Amino acid sequence: VNYLINKEKITVGEAYFGAVKDVETPWGPVMLTIPKGTQGGSKMRLKGKGVKSGNARGDLYVQLVITIPSERNEKTEKAVEDLEKCYGR
């Protein structure tokens, strides 16, 4: 097996609005485009950016992990409450 899996942390905003991020690979950093509306746990494939085996390179799969702010304050709590309303809660 010559593929790799890397976990990349993204914010709620990056998942919702989309983003472009630098991602480290064994062959150096590459720009990863995260589409609008990406769900947590989604995997994106970077072809040929995995482990080299013979003359071939495997793929790198980037699993996106959505993070939330660790600091709790009124502003953050209000934002989360507003976001929850989008789920009909």
Side-chain angles (χ1 to χ4, degrees), residues 1-4 8 10 19-20 23 30 32 35-36 41 47-48 51-52 61-62 64 71 73-74 77 85:
V1 176
N2 56 352
Y3 67 87
L4 293 174
E8 184 72 25
I10 63 171
V20 177
V23 174
V30 297
L32 176 68
K36 292 178 183 179
K47 188 173 178 161
V51 177
K52 187 172 183 179
Y61 292 88
V62 179
L64 302 173
E71 182 180 331
N73 58 46
E74 284 185 40
E77 287 185 16
K85 292 175 187 172

Side-chain angles (χ1 to χ4, degrees), residues 47-58:
K47 188 173 178 161
K49 298 297 181 184
V51 177
K52 187 172 183 179
S53 177
N55 291 331
R57 283 192 199 174

Side-chain angles (χ1 to χ4, degrees), residues 68-81:
I68 60 171
S70 57
E71 182 180 331
R72 295 184 62 112
N73 58 46
E74 284 185 40
K75 186 177 178 181
T76 303
E77 287 185 16
K78 173 76 169 103
V80 172
E81 287 171 1

